[in-house]
């Protein structure tokens, strides 16, 4: 047969053969059938030597061309088949990604801890240090140094838990607030003082939705030569905006605490309704949330710790951590905080 | 304290404001508003009427026919009440009126007689519970006037939270004074018009306890007739939250609310003898108080005695024996000022918090006693028809002079900042009742009713309060340098590390019982524990010496609620009876870290068997934590600890010091806590974990290839693998990069206490490629080293 005609025939048949290969294995057979030694193309190649010299360039060129076409066809088909086979393989590996087949455990910090850390960080940003102190505390630091004389009702056993320990003149109790740390810190540090004191406090209260015998407070104290009431207001405004959002406003109402003068309670505008919802779950429709007690440090407190009230002024504030967490997270009962139900803990 | 606007307006001029605006003002001057009640008359079309005639009903026995004038000519009304006769002034609902509860009044015919309207009882008007008869008005109210005008309706009642430093503000007068300062208006004292009859009271009073009683004023009132107080007084007291008792008792309450000075009315005829003595009680004495309770007196109680014994508990509650009753005709009206702490302790000792005692414990001005007594006596004379004797008792144990406080401009500016004019300072103080002289400093004379104002700071608070807290700007001071201490930062890292491997932080109450400790194998007694003298409950009167009881209780709580796997930790103080090293006046109260884990832990994989908590998990948690905290210098040494599994527990030592135990709860303790599972537990001292560690210094990863080989040793269970790894590593003289146990086998071919431990070692040199020739003798040295700790190469004999 005329080699050129043979090549044309091969070229014409190749696409059909290549396309018929349904797997990579079949394609390999097709490849050897088309290009292998014993293929018709192979025969043409081998017969090249016996062609007339003037025939050779023409047949040779065509041979190369057909070989190239077939290789292209094969490559193209191989790519298709490989893609298909990979698709099949991947399909076989299908994982239901909606199924939680592997879970990493996630623990949690107690919501009280998280709240404390968040508040503390705000004050660290304002240049405060973090102080700590004993929970079993001397009555002196808990009361006397804070201008609360022995005749004050807060010192009664109905309010404060006392411990059977120590010398009679050094009465020991479970601190009722974190404020004794103020006194301890000032005794051992020179002004200026900028501290926050997170910690536990104790009261002789039975457990109910709004009382715990053990709860947490964050105390703040700033003492320097020129601290004014406006500084107290500005500091608490800054805190409230960081904690509740940038549009929060605050309101100070006069109040009474033995260790500050003037004393105030701080209300913050309701972060939930901003005063627009008369039935608001957070503020009860008042538009404000009562948040904490504060005031200018009483001169008697400075005297008790050896500071000169003629030289320094300062402010102090104390907030209930449970309350902060409750208003922010819609928690209706303080009991959650000490039950340690995993279903509570893991939500935060 | 409940303050009605109508009463307040009697003593101070108040601009016309909405209830809400006024409430805001109360809040902003420091009298927190707990509640605002807007009171409206619960009726329409009720007028003051005069009964002209009363006649029997022709056809009924129980009702009568009245002719009543209500300003539009006489009207006929049928009435079923019998407590009035012709001439009485009454409240009449005209036809078309609607009364409390929606009762509509019309014209109707009762047994053939026409009735146009109704004569009302207190209950029908919603003014009280009295329905025994109709309401008979006293005085001479204008016939045909609106009845509502005579009971001060509509009205607003503010329930104020008066702070404990303001005894003076527990009165209409005190609130009026604050409002006068706020509104820059005037307040006035009530007018007292006391007429007396000549003569001295025969009563004598001796104050044997000058500390307890500051002043005692008593007037004798004769020919008193007890009965109900007039409507206006009853209604004012009702709004203030008091129950009406009788004219005499109501007067004492009325004056207490009005002026802030409590009073007590004795039946003078029921006082034995005419000599009262005020002194502390004697142990064993008993007094029956007004409420019928028999009270055993305490030697610190301050008591009023008559000739036969205790007759009244001063400032707290009167005695039953000398109580005024319907039969009383001779009243001894007492207005005394008592020592605040005495009353505070006494009233709390007897659980007798009364309106009087809460005022006395905050401090009642002795200079107010005479006025309060005069006011009350005058009212009794006026309302109960008595005669007040001119000569009265007024015993005092001191003089009560106003005091002076120097207030400089600088003081004000230091605390409040610039911006408050000295003129305003002066005006505020004056309006609050102070006398202000001088210029700078101001000489401020403080009246005795303000015991809370003794220092410049106290006056500055008054200035700020009336000036308005809202008026102050907001400035932001910054501290010199803030931040967490290294220990505080490490604590945060510790907490987050534990949370990151699945543990939840718990916060338990620190109170425990001895049983909860005995269950943990604790051998001490109650005397070894710190005890709360006045605990919430007897069972939990002790402070925890360990975190474990709380952690285990929490596990139990969660398991009982259906949780299968619980992993918790706590960081908190434990308490001991030893003195605290930092302050020996205090008991030691170190912080600790503890955990308790039950059930599945670690990553959970659907098809793999769960990893259940046991001692190994505790060990793993420790190791993870140590690595997170950069603690490398620690050892794990098998040990025992009460309540823990004797063969599954180890000490953790940091730099040789034992910091606590990690391991597993003993089965006995687990049973006692009703946790029938393996519980991984640990308790460690916190402070050693927080001590800063040296900064890690780089060891450059070697670029040379490693040599890995495995050694399998047979070693008994009581020879710790840690020891084996330590000696073999040392023997390799710094070439061991890692040594990891990859198999532990017990059983066939091994002795009962033996196990085979397979360790994969990776050796690598820092500066060259290790050759086999180099490694072979090292390997031999490692095997020989293992033999020194009782291990032999597996397969070798």
């Amino acid at each position: 047969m005329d080699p050129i005609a043979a090549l044309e025939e091969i070229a014409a048949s190749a696409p059909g053969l290549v396309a018929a290969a349904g797997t990579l294995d079949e394609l390999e057979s097709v490849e050897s059938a088309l290009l292998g030694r014993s293929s018709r193309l192979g025969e043409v190649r081998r017969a090249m030597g016996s062609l007339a010299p003037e025939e050779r360039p023409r047949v040779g060129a065509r041979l190369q061309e057909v070989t190239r076409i077939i290789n292209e066809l094969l490559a193209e088909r191989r790519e298709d088949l490989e893609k298909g086979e990979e698709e099949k393989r991947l399909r076989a590996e299908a994982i239901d990604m909606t199924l939680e087949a592997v879970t990493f455990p996630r623990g949690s910090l107690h919501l009280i801890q998280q709240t404390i850390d968040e508040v503390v960080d705000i004050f660290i940003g304002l240049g405060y240090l973090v102080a700590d102190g004993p929970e079993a505390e001397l009555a002196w630091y808990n009361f006397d140094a804070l201008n609360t004389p022995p005749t004050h009702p807060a010192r009664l056993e109905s309010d404060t838990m006392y411990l059977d320990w120590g010398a009679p003149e050094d009465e020991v109790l479970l601190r009722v607030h974190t404020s004794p740390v103020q006194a301890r810190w000032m005794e051992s540090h020179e002004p200026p003082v900028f501290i926050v004191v997170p910690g536990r406090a104790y009261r002789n209260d039975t457990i109910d939705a709004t009382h715990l015998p053990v709860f947490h407070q964050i105390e703040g104290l700033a003492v320097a030569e020129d601290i004014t009431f406006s500084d107290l207001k500005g500091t608490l405004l800054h805190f409230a905006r960081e904690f509740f959002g940038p549009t929060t406003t605050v309101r100070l109402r006069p109040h009474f605490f033995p260790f500050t003068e003037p004393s105030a309670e701080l209300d913050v505008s309701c972060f939930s309704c901003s005063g627009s919802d008369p039935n608001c779950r957070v503020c009860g429709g008042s538009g404000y949330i009562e948040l904490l007690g504060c005031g200018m440090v009483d001169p008697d407190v400075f005297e008790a710790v050896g500071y000169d009230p003629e030289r320094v002024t300062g402010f102090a504030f104390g907030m209930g951590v449970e309350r902060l967490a409750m208003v922010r997270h819609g928690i209706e009962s303080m009991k959650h905080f000490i039950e340690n139900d995993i279903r509570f803990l893991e939500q935060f | 304290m409940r303050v009605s606007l109508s009463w307040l307006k009697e003593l101070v001029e108040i601009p016309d404001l909405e209830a809400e605006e006024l409430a805001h003002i109360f809040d902003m001057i420091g009298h927190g508003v707990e509640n605002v009640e807007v009171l409206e008359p619960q009726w329409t079309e009720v007028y003051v009427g005069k009964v002209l005639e009363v006649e029997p009903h022709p056809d009924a026995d129980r009702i009568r026919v009245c002719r009543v004038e209500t300003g539009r000519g006489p009207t006929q009304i049928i009435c079923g009440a019998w407590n009035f006769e012709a001439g009485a002034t009454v409240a009449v609902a005209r036809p078309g009126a609607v009364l409390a509860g929606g009762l509509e009044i019309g014209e109707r015919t009762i047994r053939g007689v026409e009735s146009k309207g109704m004569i009302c009882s207190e209950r029908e008007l919603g003014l009280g519970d009295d329905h025994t008869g109709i309401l008979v008005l006293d005085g001479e109210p204008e016939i045909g006037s609106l009845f509502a005008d005579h009971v001060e309706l509509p009205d607003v009642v503010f329930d104020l939270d008066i702070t404990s430093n303001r005894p003076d503000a527990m009165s209409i007068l005190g609130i009026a004074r604050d409002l006068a300062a706020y509104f820059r208006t005037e307040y006035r004292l009530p007018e007292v018009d006391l007429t007396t009859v000549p003569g001295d009271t025969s009563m004598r009073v001796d104050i044997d306890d000058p500390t307890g009683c500051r002043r005692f004023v008593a007037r004798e009132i004769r020919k008193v007739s007890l009965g109900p107080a007039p409507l206006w007084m009853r209604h004012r007291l009702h709004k203030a939250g008091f129950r009406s008792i009788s004219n005499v008792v109501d007067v004492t309450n009325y004056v207490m609310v009005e002026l802030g000075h409590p009073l007590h009315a004795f039946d003078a005829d029921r006082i034995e003898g005419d000599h009262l003595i005020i002194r502390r009680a004697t142990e064993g004495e008993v007094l029956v108080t007004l409420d019928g309770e028999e009270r055993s007196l305490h030697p610190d109680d301050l008591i009023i005695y008559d000739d036969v014994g205790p007759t009244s508990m001063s400032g707290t509650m009167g005695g039953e024996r000398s109580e005024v009753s319907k039969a009383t005709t001779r009243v001894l009206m007492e207005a005394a000022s008592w020592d605040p702490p005495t009353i505070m302790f006494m009233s709390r000792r007897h659980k007798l918090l009364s309106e009087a005692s809460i005022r006395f414990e905050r401090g009642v001005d002795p200079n107010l006693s005479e006025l309060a007594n005069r006011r009350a006596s005058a009212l009794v004379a006026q309302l109960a028809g008595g005669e007040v004797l001119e000569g009265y008792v007024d015993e005092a144990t001191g003089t009560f002079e106003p005091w002076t406080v120097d207030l400089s401009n600088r003081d004000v500016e230091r605390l409040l900042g610039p911006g408050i004019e000295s003129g305003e300072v002066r005006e505020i103080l004056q309006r609050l009742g102070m006398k202000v002289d001088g210029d700078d400093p101001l000489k401020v004379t403080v009246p005795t009713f303000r015991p809370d104002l003794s220092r410049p700071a106290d006056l500055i608070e008054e200035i700020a309060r009336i000036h308005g807290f809202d008026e102050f700007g907001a400035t932001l001071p910054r501290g010199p340098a803030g931040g967490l201490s290294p220990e505080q930062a490490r604590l945060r890292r510790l907490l987050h590390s534990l949370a990151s491997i699945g543990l939840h932080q718990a916060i338990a109450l620190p109170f425990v019982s001895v049983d909860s400790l005995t269950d943990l194998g604790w051998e001490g007694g109650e005397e070894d524990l710190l005890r709360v003298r006045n605990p919430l409950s007897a069972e939990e009167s002790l402070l925890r010496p360990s975190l474990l009881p709380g952690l285990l209780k929490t596990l139990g709580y969660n398991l009982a609620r259906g949780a299968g796997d619980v992993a918790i930790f706590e960081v908190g103080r434990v308490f001991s009876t030893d003195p605290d090293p930092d302050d020996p006046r205090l008991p030691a109260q170190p912080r600790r870290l503890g955990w308790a884990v039950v059930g599945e832990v670690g990553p959970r994989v659907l098809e793999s068997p769960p990893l259940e908590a046991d001692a190994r998990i505790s060990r793993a948690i420790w190791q993870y934590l140590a690595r997170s905290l950069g603690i490398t210098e620690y050892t794990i040494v098998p040990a025992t600890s009460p309540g823990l599994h004797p063969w599954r527990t180890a000490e953790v030592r940091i730099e040789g010091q034992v910091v606590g135990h990690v391991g597993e709860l003993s089965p006995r303790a687990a049973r006692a806590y009703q946790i029938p599972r393996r519980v991984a537990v640990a308790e460690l001292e916190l402070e050693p974990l927080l001590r800063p560690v040296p900064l890690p210094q780089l060891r450059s990863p070697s670029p040379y290839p490693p040599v890995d080989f495995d050694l399998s040793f047979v070693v008994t269970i009581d020879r710790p693998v840690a020891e084996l790894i330590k000696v073999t590593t040392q023997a390799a003289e710094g070439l061991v990069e890692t040594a990891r146990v990859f198999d532990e086998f017990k059983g066939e071919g091994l002795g009962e206490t033996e196990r085979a431990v397979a360790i994969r070692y990776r050796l690598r040199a820092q500066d060259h490629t290790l050759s086999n020739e180099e490694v072979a003798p090292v390997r031999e040295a490692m095997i020989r080293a293992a033999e020194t700790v009782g291990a032999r190469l597996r397969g070798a004999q």
Side-chain angles (χ1 to χ4, degrees):
Chain A
M1 195 188 221
D2 169 36
I4 293 293
L7 284 172
E8 295 314 325
E9 233 172 74
I10 292 165
S13 70
L17 289 168
V18 169
T23 66
L24 284 170
D25 284 348
E26 281 172 27
L27 189 66
E28 217 162 286
S29 315
V30 170
E31 182 175 3
S32 68
L34 284 171
L35 301 173
R37 279 178 58 82
S38 51
S39 65
R40 287 183 64 200
L41 203 73
E43 279 169 29
V44 173
R45 199 180 291 120
R46 276 198 303 280
M48 281 289 284
S50 55
L51 288 181
E54 65 279 12
E55 284 281 295
R56 279 182 203 158
R58 199 168 58 92
V59 174
R62 191 59 194 151
L63 176 66
Q64 266 182 19
E65 179 61 16
V66 171
T67 308
R68 189 186 60 76
I69 288 169
I70 290 173
N71 273 324
E72 262 172 31
L73 283 171
L74 286 167
E76 211 171 283
R77 183 63 184 153
R78 184 172 296 115
E79 201 178 309
D80 283 353
L81 286 174
E82 278 174 355
K83 218 186 261 170
E85 295 219 343
E86 174 151 308
E87 242 157 55
K88 230 156 80 191
R89 205 168 53 238
L90 293 184
R91 193 186 174 82
E93 290 175 359
I95 282 177
D96 177 359
M97 292 304 285
T98 65
L99 175 70
E100 293 176 23
V102 179
T103 48
F104 288 106
R106 176 195 169 270
S108 60
L109 300 195
H110 198 288
L111 181 58
I112 291 297
Q113 182 77 48
Q114 294 184 39
T115 308
I116 286 174
D117 289 350
E118 197 178 331
V119 174
V120 161
D121 285 345
I122 293 169
F123 284 98
I124 283 176
L126 291 177
Y128 285 61
L129 294 171
V130 184
D132 188 21
E135 290 171 22
E137 179 58 286
L138 293 172
W140 163 258
Y141 286 109
N142 192 74
F143 288 129
D144 303 80
L146 299 171
N147 203 24
T148 309
T151 52
H152 195 279
R155 299 184 69 146
L156 291 169
E157 292 202 346
S158 52
D159 295 319
T160 301
M161 286 189 262
Y162 290 87
L163 301 181
D164 269 339
W165 198 88
E169 69 275 16
D170 290 326
E171 196 169 30
V172 178
L173 44 73
L174 290 171
R175 67 178 181 193
V176 303
H177 43 196
T178 43
S179 313
V181 182
Q182 279 187 24
R184 282 186 175 271
W185 184 277
M186 285 192 280
E187 265 187 355
S188 55
H189 296 78
E190 284 299 310
V193 166
F194 285 77
I195 54 167
V196 278
V197 186
R200 283 187 177 198
Y202 299 76
R203 301 262 165 101
N204 211 340
D205 284 329
T206 11
I207 299 172
D208 63 27
T210 53
H211 296 88
L212 291 180
V214 181
F215 56 98
H216 296 77
Q217 282 192 333
I218 299 171
E219 184 85 9
L221 175 71
V223 180
E225 288 192 4
D226 50 3
I227 298 284
T228 68
F229 191 73
S230 292
D231 289 333
L232 167 63
K233 198 168 175 179
T235 299
L236 294 177
L237 176 65
H238 173 83
F239 160 70
R241 290 191 168 163
E242 291 279 314
F243 196 75
F244 289 111
T247 57
T248 306
T249 57
V250 300
R251 179 172 90 173
L252 287 170
R253 277 179 295 107
H255 202 69
F256 170 69
F257 304 108
F259 28 89
T260 48
E261 189 88 75
S263 303
E265 279 193 322
L266 179 83
D267 300 339
V268 298
S269 56
C270 179
F271 62 88
S272 175
C273 78
S274 306
S276 63
D277 177 3
N279 302 311
C280 176
R281 199 174 48 81
V282 176
C283 67
S286 71
Y288 279 93
I289 305 163
E290 278 184 35
L291 204 65
L292 57 84
C294 58
M296 302 303 290
V297 178
D298 193 288
D300 286 356
V301 173
F302 284 143
E303 299 268 10
V305 299
Y307 277 17
D308 180 1
E310 292 294 313
R311 197 168 68 81
V312 292
T313 53
F315 62 74
F317 56 85
M319 56 187 110
V321 182
E322 280 78 3
R323 171 147 181 83
L324 291 180
M326 286 169 93
V327 297
R328 273 222 303 191
H329 299 281
I331 296 166
E332 82 298 350
S333 169
M334 283 181 101
K335 289 184 193 175
H336 290 296
F337 295 118
I338 48 145
E339 280 171 350
N340 297 306
D341 192 313
I342 294 288
R343 293 165 297 172
F344 171 79
L345 298 176
E346 68 189 5
Q347 287 181 46
F348 304 101
Chain B
M1 165 156 171
R2 291 169 57 90
V3 175
S4 62
L5 186 56
S6 58
W7 198 344
L8 207 47
K9 280 181 167 170
E10 200 170 88
L11 300 187
V12 64
E13 274 167 44
I14 298 173
D16 234 358
L17 293 171
E18 294 293 319
E20 268 180 33
E21 293 171 287
L22 261 176
H24 178 69
I25 289 166
F26 281 126
D27 271 335
M28 297 315 290
I29 61 173
H31 305 305
V33 178
E34 303 205 315
N35 193 26
V36 179
E37 256 176 76
V38 178
L39 304 178
E40 301 281 355
Q42 296 183 47
W43 60 81
T44 60
E45 293 289 303
V46 177
Y47 296 86
V48 173
K50 191 171 188 84
V51 181
L52 304 174
E53 281 172 30
V54 185
E55 284 172 1
H57 190 285
D59 202 18
D61 290 344
R62 297 193 166 190
I63 51 178
R64 298 185 293 176
V65 182
C66 309
R67 278 164 53 78
V68 183
E69 174 59 61
T70 62
R72 291 182 184 171
T75 314
Q76 179 165 296
I77 299 174
I78 309 273
C79 184
W82 291 76
N83 65 325
F84 67 101
E85 291 305 330
T89 314
V90 294
V92 179
R94 287 181 182 159
V98 180
L99 301 187
L103 178 64
E104 289 177 30
I105 304 302
E107 297 183 16
R108 49 192 193 129
T109 305
I110 300 169
R111 295 223 172 179
V113 180
E114 215 175 41
S115 181
K116 292 183 173 177
M118 188 167 92
I119 306 179
C120 306
S121 73
E122 264 185 42
R123 193 164 77 188
E124 283 153 352
L125 294 167
L127 291 176
D129 292 331
D130 193 2
H131 196 51
T132 54
I134 54 114
L135 177 59
V136 180
L137 307 181
D138 24 48
E140 290 180 357
E142 191 191 331
I143 306 304
S145 62
L146 274 173
F147 172 71
D149 293 345
H150 302 278
V151 283
E152 297 177 321
L153 287 175
D155 202 353
V156 185
V157 175
F158 299 93
D159 195 352
L160 304 181
D161 178 18
I162 306 295
T163 54
S164 62
N165 60 328
R166 290 293 307 276
D168 68 297
M170 295 200 70
S171 65
I172 303 292
L173 174 63
I175 300 293
R177 200 153 42 213
D178 269 12
L179 286 182
Y182 180 83
F183 289 120
R184 312 277 198 266
T185 56
E186 303 293 332
Y187 71 93
R188 53 188 166 268
L189 289 167
E191 278 169 34
V192 182
D193 185 14
L194 176 66
T195 326
T196 54
V197 297
D200 271 354
T201 175
S202 57
M203 280 292 167
R204 280 181 304 128
V205 175
D206 280 335
I207 303 173
D208 278 6
D209 191 299
T211 322
C213 180
R214 306 195 283 203
R215 191 175 178 189
F216 192 102
V217 179
R219 278 192 171 84
E220 187 177 329
I221 312 167
R222 293 181 176 166
K223 299 183 185 164
V224 171
S225 55
L226 248 80
L231 179 67
W232 63 266
M233 179 176 278
R234 274 186 287 141
H235 199 55
R236 275 194 175 176
L237 285 174
H238 177 69
K239 290 177 194 170
F242 287 81
R243 224 157 38 86
S244 172
I245 312 281
S246 66
N247 45 13
V248 171
V249 175
D250 286 3
V251 162
T252 62
N253 285 331
Y254 185 86
V255 175
M256 172 169 69
V257 173
E258 184 180 58
L259 301 179
H261 196 310
L263 297 114
H264 180 64
F266 291 92
D267 182 333
D269 290 326
R270 293 170 73 191
I271 294 172
E272 295 294 331
D274 52 9
H275 184 198
L276 295 176
I277 298 173
I278 296 154
R279 62 167 170 83
R280 303 284 163 166
T282 308
E283 187 88 55
E285 285 176 333
V286 169
L287 171 66
V288 180
T289 41
L290 285 176
D291 52 7
E293 291 284 316
E294 187 177 294
R295 302 188 182 269
S296 300
L297 301 181
H298 183 277
D300 289 340
D301 290 346
L302 190 66
I303 300 297
I304 304 174
Y305 291 83
D306 63 9
D307 282 1
V308 299
T311 188
S312 181
M313 212 175 231
S314 44
T316 306
M317 191 178 267
E320 195 178 61
R321 194 157 58 78
S322 53
E323 181 185 5
V324 290
S325 66
K326 277 185 191 158
T328 302
T329 58
R330 196 160 70 97
V331 167
L332 186 71
M333 182 62 74
E334 165 212 312
S337 171
W338 309 100
D339 172 51
T342 300
I343 302 302
M344 181 197 79
F345 287 118
M346 180 165 64
S347 65
R348 283 179 164 67
R349 200 155 41 230
H350 294 284
K351 299 198 163 52
L352 264 179
L353 290 187
S354 63
E355 289 286 338
S357 75
I358 56 172
R359 284 172 174 82
F360 281 125
E361 72 175 36
R362 294 168 181 202
V364 168
D365 179 14
N367 285 334
L368 188 59
S369 302
E370 199 282 323
L371 173 67
N373 189 291
R374 192 150 34 98
R375 171 74 166 148
S377 301
L379 282 170
V380 170
Q382 181 194 331
L383 304 177
E387 292 176 348
V388 181
L389 290 188
E390 189 183 352
Y392 62 99
V393 174
D394 188 350
E395 296 292 336
T397 53
T399 51
F400 313 102
E401 299 295 334
W403 52 91
T404 305
V405 179
D406 285 357
L407 180 67
S408 69
N409 286 335
R410 180 174 166 271
D411 288 337
V412 176
E413 200 168 314
R414 279 178 71 228
L415 238 57
L416 301 183
I420 302 184
E421 302 291 326
S422 70
E424 189 190 351
V425 168
R426 184 185 294 270
E427 190 189 355
I428 289 172
L429 295 175
Q430 282 171 341
R431 289 200 183 274
L432 286 169
M434 284 165 248
K435 191 160 144 286
V436 184
D437 299 308
D439 193 17
D440 190 13
L442 297 175
K443 300 253 177 229
V444 182
T445 306
V446 181
T448 49
F449 57 76
R450 289 301 303 268
D452 58 318
L453 307 179
S454 59
R455 305 160 306 166
D458 303 326
L459 298 177
I460 290 165
E461 175 170 59
E462 295 300 290
I463 295 158
R465 186 170 70 89
I466 301 299
H467 176 73
F469 280 11
D470 277 349
E471 302 297 315
F472 290 90
T475 50
L476 190 58
R478 283 168 193 273
L484 295 175
S485 70
E487 289 79 8
Q488 288 161 351
R490 284 173 65 76
L491 176 57
R492 286 228 183 147
R493 201 196 284 189
L494 177 147
L495 299 173
H496 284 279
S497 295
L498 293 171
S500 74
I501 50 172
L503 276 72
H504 297 278
Q505 185 185 14
I507 294 178
L509 293 183
F511 307 112
V512 294
S513 63
V514 173
D515 284 352
S516 70
L517 295 167
T518 314
D519 287 345
L520 272 175
W522 189 72
E523 288 172 353
E526 241 183 85
E527 63 283 1
D528 304 311
L529 296 169
L530 202 56
R531 162 198 279 288
V532 178
R533 195 201 303 152
N534 52 325
L536 281 163
S537 73
E539 306 85 67
E540 304 209 318
S541 62
L542 303 165
L543 286 171
R544 62 184 179 192
S546 159
L547 299 179
L548 291 183
L551 286 165
L552 296 175
K553 217 171 127 182
T554 301
L555 278 196
Y557 180 93
N558 280 286
L559 294 177
R561 276 155 188 75
D565 317 306
V566 188
I568 50 165
F569 72 99
E570 180 169 13
V571 166
R573 290 184 188 279
V574 297
F575 298 85
S576 106
T577 52
D578 297 331
D580 191 299
D582 293 332
D583 186 343
R585 295 169 296 177
L586 295 175
Q589 40 196 313
R591 290 190 295 176
R592 284 198 187 156
L593 160 67
W595 62 74
V597 183
V598 70
E600 228 181 304
V601 292
R604 286 147 205 211
V605 184
L606 193 60
E607 62 277 11
S608 309
L611 177 57
E612 291 276 338
D614 61 15
R616 298 173 306 163
I617 294 301
S618 272
R619 203 239 177 260
I621 293 171
W622 161 254
Q623 182 165 6
Y624 180 83
L625 187 60
R627 289 184 65 172
S628 302
L629 293 174
I631 300 172
T632 51
E633 298 301 312
Y634 71 86
T635 48
I636 299 283
V637 184
T640 57
S641 181
L644 300 194
H645 193 302
W647 295 99
R648 291 183 167 211
T649 296
E651 284 172 0
V652 175
R653 295 185 191 171
I654 296 179
E655 290 166 5
Q657 179 205 353
V658 178
V659 300
H661 293 85
V662 295
E664 194 174 305
L665 196 63
S666 78
R668 181 192 293 269
R671 277 195 302 276
Y673 275 89
Q674 298 181 335
I675 307 170
R677 317 262 294 270
R678 291 197 183 274
V679 186
V681 292
E683 184 163 25
L684 302 158
E685 296 294 336
L686 187 66
E687 306 310 328
L689 309 186
L690 303 186
R691 267 201 300 270
V693 293
L695 285 176
Q697 300 296 312
L698 174 71
R699 273 182 58 227
S700 258
S702 166
Y704 300 97
V707 175
D708 293 343
F709 58 83
D710 300 340
L711 293 175
S712 183
F713 295 106
V714 174
V715 65
T716 53
I717 187 76
D718 56 347
R719 304 303 294 253
V721 167
E723 195 65 13
L724 182 58
I725 289 175
K726 189 175 156 196
V727 296
T728 50
T729 301
Q730 278 167 354
E733 291 179 346
L735 289 180
V736 173
E737 189 175 87
T738 57
R740 189 172 62 81
V741 175
F742 65 93
D743 191 31
E744 187 187 18
F745 172 79
K746 294 172 197 165
E748 209 179 325
L750 294 172
E752 201 165 295
T753 61
E754 282 181 338
R755 58 191 165 143
V757 179
I759 306 174
R760 174 154 304 158
Y761 292 94
R762 166 163 284 193
L763 275 57
R764 195 181 331 233
Q766 205 52 34
D767 50 2
H768 65 282
T769 301
L770 289 175
S771 65
N772 288 339
E773 295 71 33
E774 203 179 349
V775 169
V778 172
R779 188 174 175 279
E780 286 308 311
M782 289 166 72
I783 293 165
R784 279 195 306 278
E787 286 162 359
T788 65
V789 292
R792 66 171 197 278
L793 200 62
R794 197 176 182 198
Q797 286 305 310

